[in-house]
Amino acid sequence: EFTRMTGDLVAAIRKCRRPVIAALNGTVAGAGAVIAAACDIRVAAESPKIAYLFVKVGLSGADMGASWLLPRIVGHGRASELLMTGDFIDAREAHRIGLYNRVVADGEALNEATRLAEKLAKGPSFGLAVTKESLDREWSMDVDSAMEWEVTIQAACMLDPNFREAYEAFTAKR
């Protein structure tokens, strides 16, 4: 029941139609590391470390969707190393391999994540939801299927009331 519940949490983050931003201020390990990976964007303070340490306690590194999430973020080789060794890496390395989107001064992760969230909140909610869905959906598509999906969904975005307002605001530079 516990492993199903934690998996359901990660699935809910991925299925959420709004962008989910993680603000990482302290050491991130195990379940916390997978929850962070499930988020769309990760902003971390510079001093804490991160580890997927399930194997250190005799479990599989494939927990809570980690073996689905990590290869999509950092590539198969780096994901293999992180999940098989359970070793900690620092924020600079996490940023270098693409696990973290931004690294900020200690104590600033929440502020930076909030600024980013406020920026996204001003954007087109339907367009952002479609972008998030497309990033996951198109991962397993061939190029022709992806193009057909994007043609169809972009046309739907053009019919959304947010499109006209956003387009006019952009062209008016407001």
Side-chain angles (χ1 to χ4, degrees):
E1 288 179 32
F2 175 75
T3 58
R4 186 163 312 281
M5 177 194 66
T6 59
D8 288 347
L9 170 63
V10 168
I13 293 169
R14 293 306 320 141
K15 291 175 185 172
C16 178
R17 293 193 45 85
R18 302 286 189 253
V20 179
I21 301 170
L24 310 169
N25 281 307
T27 298
V28 185
V34 182
I35 292 167
C39 295
D40 300 296
I41 299 171
R42 288 157 299 283
V43 178
E46 59 190 352
S47 66
K49 297 180 178 188
I50 185 169
Y52 298 85
L53 48 68
F54 302 106
V55 297
K56 297 269 187 180
V57 296
L59 297 173
S60 164
D63 191 22
M64 298 174 60
S67 61
W68 186 88
L69 293 162
L70 276 180
R72 287 165 168 77
I73 300 169
V74 301
H76 189 271
R78 288 191 176 105
S80 296
E81 183 176 357
L82 290 169
L83 294 176
M84 290 180 180
T85 66
D87 291 343
F88 279 92
I89 59 172
D90 64 29
R92 273 191 309 255
E93 177 66 3
H95 184 259
R96 187 186 72 75
I97 66 174
L99 181 55
Y100 291 166
N101 299 82
R102 300 178 185 189
V103 175
V104 298
D106 287 342
E108 287 300 311
L110 183 57
N111 292 335
E112 180 67 14
T114 300
R115 281 191 288 275
L116 182 55
E118 289 169 347
K119 177 181 180 178
L120 293 176
K122 293 176 184 173
S125 57
F126 184 65
L128 289 170
V130 166
T131 300
K132 180 173 178 170
E133 180 183 359
S134 297
L135 285 165
D136 283 344
R137 179 186 288 247
E138 292 184 39
W139 185 265
S140 61
M141 290 182 181
D142 62 50
V143 69
D144 293 330
S145 299
M147 291 303 109
E148 184 58 33
W149 162 254
E150 289 189 10
V151 164
T152 303
I153 201 65
Q154 196 70 312
C157 285
M158 290 176 183
L159 298 174
D160 188 81
N162 286 331
F163 168 70
R164 179 58 48 201
E165 173 54 30
Y167 176 79
E168 290 173 7
F170 179 79
T171 57
K173 297 184 184 336
R174 59 178 162 84

